[in-house]
């Protein structure tokens, strides 16, 4: 048994990224308050609008990454999205600086996680058919 075929492994990676994006997108609608709280105040309009818009974007990105035909573009757009939401993660880390050690650890831990997410999305793009 020589392991998984490269194509199957790449497809699984893309589908795992799509699942992550889809699940995250759905939570923007199911539990929007935590997302509302991290919307940077410098953005115009109501935080809930941005929460819902980013949820729609994540679900759309999930669909684009899941479909082999749109995977290259979806991977590129997902990488851009992960970079674009970084300011919200910075705001969350700043806002959580006086919270419990566990809450701070989660907020601070999200910051370096953006880098592997961007790299993962770019790898999905590169490996797309």
């Amino acid at each position: 048994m020589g392991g998984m075929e490269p194509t199957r492994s790449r497809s699984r990676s893309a589908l795992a990224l799509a699942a992550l994006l889809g699940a995250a997108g759905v939570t923007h609608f199911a539990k929007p308050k935590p997302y509302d709280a991290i919307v940077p105040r410098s953005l115009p309009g109501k935080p809930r609008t941005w929460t819902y818009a980013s949820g729609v974007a994540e679900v759309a990105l999930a669909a684009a990454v899941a479909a082999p035909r749109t995977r290259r573009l979806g991977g590129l757009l997902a990488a851009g999205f992960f970079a674009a939401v970084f300011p919200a993660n910075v705001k969350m880390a700043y806002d959580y600086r006086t919270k419990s050690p566990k809450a701070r650890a989660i907020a601070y831990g999200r910051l370096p996680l953006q880098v592997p997410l961007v790299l993962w999305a770019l790898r999905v793009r590169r490996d797309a058919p």
Side-chain angles (χ1 to χ4, degrees):
M1 300 221 313
M4 277 190 293
E5 307 167 23
T7 304
R8 196 193 226 165
S9 177
R10 288 192 296 263
S11 183
R12 282 192 179 160
S13 178
L15 293 178
L17 179 61
L20 175 78
L21 285 161
V26 167
T27 64
H28 282 67
F29 297 95
K31 300 242 183 222
K33 283 187 179 183
Y35 295 102
D36 293 347
I38 64 171
V39 172
R41 290 196 177 131
S42 59
L43 291 175
K46 294 181 180 178
R48 183 61 54 92
T49 303
W50 289 101
T51 295
Y52 287 160
S54 62
V56 167
E58 285 180 315
V59 170
L61 288 168
V65 169
R69 229 173 133 151
T70 55
R71 188 168 292 156
R72 283 184 61 76
L73 179 60
L76 179 63
L77 294 175
F81 179 83
F82 290 138
V85 299
F86 186 72
N89 292 342
V90 170
K91 181 185 184 309
M92 181 181 182
Y94 180 79
D95 290 347
Y96 278 43
R97 69 193 183 284
T98 58
K99 296 203 182 245
S100 73
K102 180 182 177 187
R104 278 197 316 268
I106 290 168
Y108 297 160
R110 288 180 64 156
L111 296 175
L113 282 179
Q114 291 305 113
V115 173
L117 287 173
V118 169
L119 295 175
W120 184 13
L122 291 174
R123 190 170 50 247
V124 163
R125 177 185 188 269
R126 182 193 70 219
D127 293 343

